[in-house]
Structures are given as C-alpha cells and as structure tokens.
Amino acid sequence: MVTYNIIIESAAQVLLQRDYISTTTNRISERAGVSVGSIYQYFNNKNEIYDAVLDYYLSKIVDAIFCMEIGEEFTLREIIEVLIEKIYGEWPQGPELLRKLRQAPGTHFHEKIDELKNRIVSYFSVLIKDRYKIIDIKDLDVGLEICMNSIEGIFLNASTDIPPARLAREISLICTRYLFPNN
Amino acid sequence: MVTYNIIIESAAQVLLQRDYISTTTNRISERAGVSVGSIYQYFNNKNEIYDAVLDYYLSKIVDAIFCMEIGEEFTLREIIEVLIEKIYGEWPQGPELLRKLRQAPGTHFHEKIDELKNRIVSYFSVLIKDRYKIIDIKDLDVGLEICMNSIEGIFLNASTDIPPARLAREISLICTRYLFPNN
Amino acid sequence: MVTYNIIIESAAQVLLQRDYISTTTNRISERAGVSVGSIYQYFNNKNEIYDAVLDYYLSKIVDAIFCMEIGEEFTLREIIEVLIEKIYGEWPQGPELLRKLRQAPGTHFHEKIDELKNRIVSYFSVLIKDRYKIIDIKDLDVGLEICMNSIEGIFLNASTDIPPARLAREISLICTRYLFPNN
Amino acid sequence: MVTYNIIIESAAQVLLQRDYISTTTNRISERAGVSVGSIYQYFNNKNEIYDAVLDYYLSKIVDAIFCMEIGEEFTLREIIEVLIEKIYGEWPQGPELLRKLRQAPGTHFHEKIDELKNRIVSYFSVLIKDRYKIIDIKDLDVGLEICMNSIEGIFLNASTDIPPARLAREISLICTRYLFPNN
DNA sequence: TATGAATGAGGATTCATTCAT
DNA sequence: AATGAATGAATCCTCATTCAT
C-alpha cells in the first residue's frame, strides 16, 4: 500500500485507540512506520490528515449508497434498511471514528458531512419523486433534511447494545413513517 | 453576579465565538474581566469549566421539561412540540453551544447528555404508559432511545434556515409518527 | 498561644508532612486556622516563616548546649554524648525538619546554621582550652569546624535504624578521637 | 558534543550561578543554545535533568574511587586522602553543585547519594577486612556509615578557606582515627 | 487585627511544523 | 522521497502576595 494510505489508516487507528487530544502527528507517524517528515510530504498540515481520513471512510458510505442496485420490487423502507445495514457491515467502527473526527477543530468535517447529506437528499429526492408522484417538493426537502439529521443522531449515538440489524430497521422505520405517515 | 457565574457565561461566549481549541483560560478570564487565577479558585481545571457550562445550560432544558404543566387535553405530539419550542425560545444558541462543548475532549459531555436523555426517557416512558395503556414496554424503551438520538441529531444539526417553530413541529411529528404509526 | 507561634508550628508541621514544594502559604494558613492574610501581618514573606521556623527550633539546640551544667567530672566525650542525646530527645523530628528547611531557597538557612556552628565552636574552643592547656589554637579551630560539619552530616543523614543513643555515642567518639588521638 | 551532554552541562552551570528555583528550563535551554523543545527530546521533565546532572558528575567520583590502583604500600589514611584530593581536583565545583542539586525537590538526589555511599561502604568494607583481619563486622558497617555521613557533611559544608589538600587530610584523619583509634 | 477573593507574573510542558542531511 | 532532531509559540496552571472590607 502506498504511504499516503498507510498514514490515513494509521491516523484512523490511533484516533480510535486514544483521545483526539493525544492523537499527535508523532504517534501517527510512529504507527505508520514512517517519519513525521514523511507525513508532511503528503499532507500540508495535521487537519488535512483528518479530512483525508474522513474522505477515505465516507467513500464507503458513498459506494454503498450510489452503487447499490435498486430493484423496483423494493419499498423505500427496505432500501433504507439494506443501506444502513451495509454501512454497519462494511464499517463497524464508523460511529466511533466519526465521533472522534468530529472533535477535530479546523477540519472540514461539517462541510463534508453536509455535502454528503445533500448528495443523499438529492438522490432520494429523485428516487422518491419517481415513485410517489404526488409529493410536495418543498416539504420533501425539509423532510429529507430532518431524516438525514435524525439518522446522523441515531447512527452516531446509539448505544452499542442495540444490534446493527435492529438499528437499521428502526432507522428505516422512523424515516418512512415520518415521510409517509399514511403508508 | 458572582464570579463563578461570570466565568461560566464568559466561557460560553468565548466558545460561541471561537473554536474550543482557541478558547483558552486566558481568553475566558479576559472576557470575564477577572484574572486567570480567579478561574482556578472556582474550577480545578479547564474542563471543569466546560462541564459547568454544560450543566448551567442543560438545566434550562431540565426546567423546561420537568417543570412543565401538562394538561390532560394535550396530545403527546403537542407536548413535544411545545417543549422543543420552549427550549429554542429560552436557549437560542443551544445547538451551537452544544456542538462546541461536544468537541472538548476530556469533558463529561457524553455522560451528562446521556444522563439527561435517560431522565427524559424515564419521564416520557411513564407519561406514555399512563396514556396509552397497551404499549409493549421493551419496544418503548428502544423506541424512546431512538427518538432521543433522533432529536439530538436534528437539534444539533438542523440548518438555521428552518425556523425553530417548524423544527419543533417536525421533531414532534417524527417522534410521534414513529412511536404511534396508527394514530 | 499567639498567632505568630501558631503559624510557625503549622509551617513546621506542613513541611514535615509534605514536600517543600507543596508547602504553600495557603496550606500553612489552613493548618494554622487563620487566613493567608494573617500570615502577612507577622511575616513579610514566605521565607521569613522558614527563617522563623529555623530560629524557633534551633533555639532548642542553643538551650541544650548553652544552658547545660557541665560538671568538672565529665570528659569531653561524655559532654558531647549527653548534648547530642538531649537534642535528639527534645527534638526528634530535627533531622527531617532541617533537611526540608534546607531545601528552601532564599532563606537564611546556611547563614543561621553557620552562625550556630560558630557559636558552638567558640564555646567548645574555650572549654577545651580550659581543660587541655597545650592545644595549638589554629589547628583547634580547623578541627572544630571539621567536627561541626561532620556532626551536621551525621545528624542530618543518619539512617533511622541506628538508635539516637548509639548515634550520640558515635558522634562523640568520632569527634574526640579525631581531636585527641592520644587520649 | 551531543545535545544531551550540552543540556546537562548547561543545567549544571545555570544551577551554579543561581537558585535551583530560578533555574528554569528556558534558562537552561538558552544557555545550552538549544530550544526548550530540545530539552524534552532528551528528558521527560525538569527533574530528570537534575538527576542526569547528578549522575554525570557522580560518575567522576565513581571513577576516582573504583578505578584507583591501590598499592599494598599505602595505608588506609593515605588511600582516603588521595581519593578525596582526586575528587576535589577533578571536580572543584563539586560541593557547591551538590548543595544546589540537593535543594531540588522531586529529584532522586538522596537515593542516588545513598546508593553511592553504599557502594563505597561495601568497597571499603572489603578492603579493610582484607587488611585488618580482626575487625568486628557489625561495628564496621555502622562505623563506615558514620564515616560516609561525616565525609558528606565535611565535603558539602567546609568553608572555602580551608584548601582541598588540607580537607583531604582532615577527612582521612577523622575517619581513620575514628575507625582505628589504636593505630 | 483579621479576612480571603482576586491578582498576574512566571513556570513546565506540548506538539505541529521545518529543514538540513 | 524520507528522515527525525530541532524549533518555539502557545497553553494550562500555580502560588506568593495584596487590599478592600
């Protein structure tokens, strides 16, 4: 693997094992088996590492969502459920890592998360409008933002004693019941 | 006002204007119009200030919830809506401040938030069981946890162009539709 | 007892129970049951307390030595032995306290100790010259200084498993054998 | 010379010119011509510098003692005398530096000094038992401890107007007369 | 006399970043 | 590209001392 990726993965590992506070560039480089100097050949500053870590792992979510084959036979609830399960499956440390990354001040964490949310909203907005012809567009946008923030809250804060499958189910339920109370 | 409270409010203000990383004890003391030393007469370390800020402001939420007169004539949806509106009304910087406080490592932020959530869950658990006799207890607990995390996500991340009243409404909707799909 | 003395004894106690480093004016005042401010009514600064503590306790040594009845029938060795035993008896924490006081920079510790030594040297110089008419004065002064420093070293550093009586005996022996090798 | 040693020597120099209290890490680094940060690449904290200074200079004493050729023709008195003279010769600031180091709280000063004393006691214990077959072992141990503390007192407190050669002589005299009163 | 909250200069320590090799 | 010793600004925190009450 290339140094660039080694550094990103090391940063993620150090972050997961320690505080955000004690995740220093020296410790990252040590874990990566390279020198501190090498980090600065690939990143202009420490926050760029965090941003790269975020990008690297968010791409898993992006892949899960946008590369998913969505057969006509699946309901929206089922689609969401499968999606969330997939994310939990491929990225079990996700919530933990995101919580740690969120602590880093000066990164583009919130921008990046918001951008992803927007992409998802657009994607599902289209998907929904394709399926449920009669939706009021304005409300749908607000509704989808509410859903996204709701999912973020559940995904990042859920107590670990609720199994992922259950969480996926509840997430899909809360969203669909909210958006389509009469279905 | 006493120095203790001045320090807490100053810390909140500095935090709202800057990173938690650039919220230094010196800046807090400067803003409070006292010396750094004075901070350490009331707090053992910087994180205790953050914890106190959290306590101070969370007590507004506690008051709003637990001191509210709940007439029999109100539905659960209305109760939640009023509650959220009240919190937004009395504590407009709430989401922003909470986001900043959440970044501070070494704080008891998560413990404190979790404790509050648990209190609220217990409170509403009783309230709901009083009103809707037929609820399955186990599911209600999971359901309420989902709701709390959902609310946290919405409250902390909602874009500012959705007015508080609307947010309060959507929050009450998403929760009640999720918990009582058939009402 | 007067506040002045209470402060001195408190300082000594705090010093004996903790580091020199953690012996703060606040802790001394707390132990003394007075306010910090009160300390500064009796002492111009912290070091004056230490100096006063030293004076207060050294006076025990002074009393032991200069108020001692010295019968003609006692040998020099016996005199020294009794003296040292007396000091150990009346001031058991002596070595410990002196070691702590010695750590305080900016006090007059060394001047005071040196002054006491000089007084003792003068005293014994006369006493010896009275008894042993034939001593060469110059060498006696050097010899007595050597003895004083030797005693200081033994008194302050002796391991606690040698009992005071034994130490008193060894101190008297090392001094007299050194000064009067032919006796 | 390597940075590590430069720091140690600078610390010793600063300490000799000032209090241990005003011997700050910044002043040490300034004198060493390096940055504060560099100090912390080699030492975990300020006290470790003091410990290293002590080790560095005590090793001179260790070398003097343990690497000395001891011919059969020398008496114990002569051996001690030569030893002390050697130490004074190779380490003229010895007493002063040791006095300063002794003031630093939180150091391993006393442990290190005690350990050295014990090594010396063992060494001389053997040497003496080789030469004077008839010594009572128990008394010799106490006697040697008394001697070591005596030497410490004389070495650290002797007034500077007694020349080293004289001090070496008196030290050897007081020890040997004490240990072997009949020789 | 006594109080004790307030002061603020000063210290140890950290860590992202640099740059000569 | 890689190294890692060196940097130094910036942080938290301490504590002797003051002074209005």
Side-chain angles (χ1 to χ4, degrees):
Chain A
M1 193 172 27
V2 283
T3 310
Y4 180 81
N5 286 318
I6 293 175
I7 293 168
I8 287 175
E9 301 226 323
S10 302
Q13 286 166 29
V14 175
L15 209 45
L16 279 168
Q17 277 170 15
R18 333 182 108 260
D19 286 296
Y20 157 72
I21 270 270
S22 59
T23 300
T24 65
T25 48
N26 272 292
R27 266 194 262 262
I28 293 170
S29 73
E30 197 182 358
R31 170 124 211 171
V34 299
S35 68
V36 228
S38 287
I39 289 183
Y40 287 86
Q41 304 238 309
Y42 297 95
F43 303 93
N44 290 315
N45 54 58
K46 199 190 173 192
N47 281 337
E48 281 193 3
I49 310 175
Y50 290 135
D51 280 334
V53 171
L54 187 59
D55 284 340
Y56 183 72
Y57 286 101
L58 281 192
S59 69
K60 298 198 179 189
I61 291 183
V62 169
D63 287 353
I65 295 173
F66 298 102
C67 305
M68 183 168 144
E69 297 284 319
I70 302 181
E72 289 286 331
E73 68 278 19
F74 294 111
T75 63
L76 187 61
R77 216 198 44 48
E78 288 167 330
I79 295 169
I80 295 175
E81 194 173 334
V82 170
L83 223 47
I84 304 287
E85 266 189 318
K86 230 183 203 169
I87 293 167
Y88 271 115
E90 291 183 16
W91 190 29
Q93 342 77 320
E96 179 76 4
L97 187 59
L98 285 176
R99 275 197 298 269
K100 298 279 179 88
L101 285 170
R102 183 172 62 183
Q103 291 200 304
T107 61
H108 297 113
F109 183 88
H110 290 293
E111 288 92 312
K112 283 174 185 293
I113 292 291
D114 283 350
E115 199 216 315
L116 175 61
K117 281 178 183 172
N118 287 337
R119 285 186 61 188
I120 297 173
V121 164
S122 302
Y123 183 78
F124 275 90
S125 182
V126 170
L127 192 144
I128 287 167
K129 275 182 272 179
D130 273 4
R131 299 191 171 210
Y132 308 77
K133 313 288 181 188
I134 32 138
I135 296 293
D136 168 11
I137 296 173
K138 179 131 188 305
D139 272 349
L140 182 60
D141 280 353
V142 170
L144 284 174
E145 192 198 314
I146 296 286
C147 283
M148 290 311 303
N149 292 335
S150 176
I151 294 173
E152 182 177 334
I154 298 165
F155 188 72
L156 285 180
N157 300 312
S159 63
T160 48
D161 45 73
I162 305 177
R166 177 76 193 274
L167 277 173
R169 184 165 173 77
E170 301 300 331
I171 287 174
S172 66
L173 272 178
I174 198 171
C175 290
T176 49
R177 283 182 183 165
Y178 166 59
L179 291 174
F180 311 104
N182 303 318
N183 277 35
Chain B
M1 194 176 24
V2 283
T3 308
Y4 181 81
N5 287 316
I6 293 176
I7 293 168
I8 287 176
E9 302 224 323
S10 303
Q13 286 165 29
V14 176
L15 208 46
L16 280 168
Q17 277 169 14
R18 335 177 110 258
D19 269 335
Y20 95 88
I21 253 213
S22 58
T23 299
T24 66
T25 48
N26 277 295
R27 270 195 260 262
I28 293 171
S29 74
E30 198 180 356
R31 168 129 216 163
V34 299
S35 68
V36 228
S38 287
I39 289 182
Y40 289 88
Q41 298 237 326
Y42 298 96
F43 303 94
N44 289 314
N45 54 58
K46 200 188 168 193
N47 281 337
E48 281 194 3
I49 311 176
Y50 290 139
D51 281 335
V53 170
L54 186 59
D55 283 339
Y56 185 71
Y57 286 103
L58 282 192
S59 70
K60 298 197 179 189
I61 291 182
V62 170
D63 287 352
I65 294 174
F66 297 101
C67 304
M68 187 167 126
E69 295 284 320
I70 302 182
E72 288 287 330
E73 70 276 20
F74 294 110
T75 64
L76 186 61
R77 213 198 43 53
E78 288 166 330
I79 294 168
I80 296 175
E81 194 173 335
V82 170
L83 225 46
I84 304 287
E85 266 189 318
K86 233 184 200 168
I87 293 166
Y88 271 115
E90 291 181 16
W91 189 27
Q93 342 76 322
E96 179 75 4
L97 187 57
L98 285 175
R99 272 197 299 271
K100 297 287 180 82
L101 285 170
R102 183 173 60 184
Q103 287 200 309
T107 314
H108 295 116
F109 183 88
H110 290 293
E111 288 94 311
K112 283 174 187 292
I113 292 291
D114 283 351
E115 199 216 316
L116 177 60
K117 282 179 182 172
N118 287 337
R119 285 186 62 188
I120 296 173
V121 164
S122 303
Y123 184 78
F124 275 90
S125 182
V126 170
L127 192 145
I128 287 168
K129 276 182 270 178
D130 271 5
R131 298 194 170 207
Y132 308 77
K133 313 288 181 189
I134 33 143
I135 297 293
D136 167 11
I137 295 173
K138 177 127 190 305
D139 273 347
L140 182 59
D141 280 353
V142 171
L144 285 175
E145 193 198 312
I146 296 286
C147 283
M148 289 311 305
N149 291 335
S150 176
I151 294 174
E152 183 177 333
I154 299 165
F155 188 73
L156 285 181
N157 299 312
S159 63
T160 47
D161 44 73
I162 306 178
R166 178 75 194 276
L167 278 172
R169 186 168 170 76
E170 301 301 332
I171 287 173
S172 66
L173 272 177
I174 198 171
C175 290
T176 49
R177 283 182 183 166
Y178 165 60
L179 291 174
F180 310 105
N182 304 320
N183 277 34
Chain C
M1 195 173 26
V2 284
T3 309
Y4 180 81
N5 286 317
I6 293 174
I7 293 168
I8 287 175
E9 300 224 323
S10 302
Q13 285 165 29
V14 174
L15 209 45
L16 279 168
Q17 276 170 15
R18 333 179 107 260
D19 290 289
Y20 158 72
I21 269 268
S22 59
T23 298
T24 66
T25 49
N26 273 292
R27 266 194 261 262
I28 293 170
S29 74
E30 197 181 357
R31 169 124 211 171
V34 300
S35 68
V36 228
S38 288
I39 288 182
Y40 286 86
Q41 304 237 309
Y42 298 95
F43 302 93
N44 290 313
N45 55 58
K46 199 191 176 194
N47 280 337
E48 282 193 3
I49 311 176
Y50 291 135
D51 281 335
V53 170
L54 186 58
D55 283 341
Y56 183 73
Y57 285 101
L58 281 192
S59 69
K60 298 197 179 188
I61 291 182
V62 169
D63 288 353
I65 295 174
F66 297 103
C67 304
M68 181 168 145
E69 296 284 319
I70 303 180
E72 288 287 329
E73 68 277 19
F74 293 112
T75 63
L76 186 62
R77 216 198 42 46
E78 287 167 332
I79 295 169
I80 295 175
E81 193 172 337
V82 170
L83 224 48
I84 303 287
E85 267 190 315
K86 230 183 201 169
I87 293 167
Y88 271 116
E90 291 181 17
W91 190 29
Q93 340 80 321
E96 180 77 3
L97 187 58
L98 285 175
R99 275 197 297 269
K100 298 280 179 84
L101 285 170
R102 186 171 60 183
Q103 291 201 304
T107 60
H108 297 113
F109 182 88
H110 290 294
E111 288 93 314
K112 284 174 187 291
I113 292 290
D114 283 350
E115 198 215 315
L116 176 61
K117 281 179 185 171
N118 287 336
R119 284 187 62 190
I120 297 173
V121 163
S122 301
Y123 183 79
F124 275 88
S125 181
V126 169
L127 193 144
I128 287 168
K129 275 182 271 174
D130 272 5
R131 298 191 172 210
Y132 308 75
K133 313 290 180 188
I134 33 141
I135 298 294
D136 167 13
I137 298 172
K138 178 130 190 301
D139 273 348
L140 181 60
D141 280 355
V142 170
L144 285 174
E145 193 199 312
I146 296 287
C147 283
M148 290 311 304
N149 291 334
S150 176
I151 294 173
E152 183 177 334
I154 298 166
F155 188 72
L156 285 180
N157 299 313
S159 64
T160 47
D161 44 73
I162 304 178
R166 178 75 193 274
L167 278 173
R169 184 165 173 76
E170 302 300 332
I171 287 173
S172 65
L173 272 179
I174 197 171
C175 290
T176 50
R177 284 181 182 166
Y178 165 59
L179 291 174
F180 309 105
N182 303 317
N183 277 35
Chain D
M1 196 175 24
V2 283
T3 308
Y4 180 80
N5 287 316
I6 293 175
I7 293 168
I8 287 176
E9 301 225 324
S10 302
Q13 285 165 31
V14 176
L15 207 47
L16 279 169
Q17 278 169 14
R18 334 178 110 259
D19 269 335
Y20 95 90
I21 254 212
S22 59
T23 299
T24 67
T25 48
N26 277 291
R27 270 194 259 263
I28 293 171
S29 73
E30 198 180 354
R31 168 129 215 164
V34 300
S35 68
V36 227
S38 287
I39 288 183
Y40 288 88
Q41 298 238 328
Y42 299 95
F43 303 94
N44 290 314
N45 53 57
K46 199 189 169 193
N47 281 337
E48 281 194 2
I49 311 175
Y50 291 138
D51 280 336
V53 170
L54 186 58
D55 283 339
Y56 184 71
Y57 285 102
L58 282 192
S59 70
K60 299 198 178 188
I61 291 182
V62 170
D63 287 353
I65 295 174
F66 298 101
C67 305
M68 185 167 125
E69 296 284 319
I70 302 181
E72 288 287 329
E73 69 277 19
F74 293 111
T75 63
L76 186 63
R77 212 195 46 51
E78 287 167 331
I79 294 169
I80 296 176
E81 195 174 332
V82 169
L83 225 46
I84 304 288
E85 266 190 317
K86 232 184 198 169
I87 294 166
Y88 271 114
E90 290 182 16
W91 189 26
Q93 342 76 323
E96 180 76 3
L97 187 58
L98 285 175
R99 272 196 300 269
K100 297 286 180 79
L101 286 170
R102 183 172 60 185
Q103 288 200 307
T107 315
H108 295 115
F109 183 88
H110 290 293
E111 289 93 313
K112 283 174 186 294
I113 292 291
D114 282 351
E115 199 216 317
L116 176 60
K117 281 180 186 172
N118 287 336
R119 285 186 62 190
I120 297 173
V121 164
S122 303
Y123 183 78
F124 275 89
S125 181
V126 169
L127 192 145
I128 287 169
K129 275 183 268 175
D130 272 6
R131 299 193 169 207
Y132 307 76
K133 314 287 179 188
I134 33 143
I135 296 294
D136 167 12
I137 296 172
K138 178 128 188 305
D139 271 349
L140 181 60
D141 280 354
V142 170
L144 284 174
E145 193 200 312
I146 296 286
C147 283
M148 290 310 305
N149 291 335
S150 176
I151 294 174
E152 183 177 335
I154 299 165
F155 188 73
L156 286 180
N157 299 312
S159 62
T160 47
D161 43 75
I162 305 179
R166 178 73 193 275
L167 278 172
R169 184 166 174 76
E170 301 301 330
I171 287 174
S172 65
L173 272 178
I174 198 171
C175 291
T176 48
R177 284 182 182 166
Y178 165 60
L179 292 174
F180 310 104
N182 304 318
N183 277 33

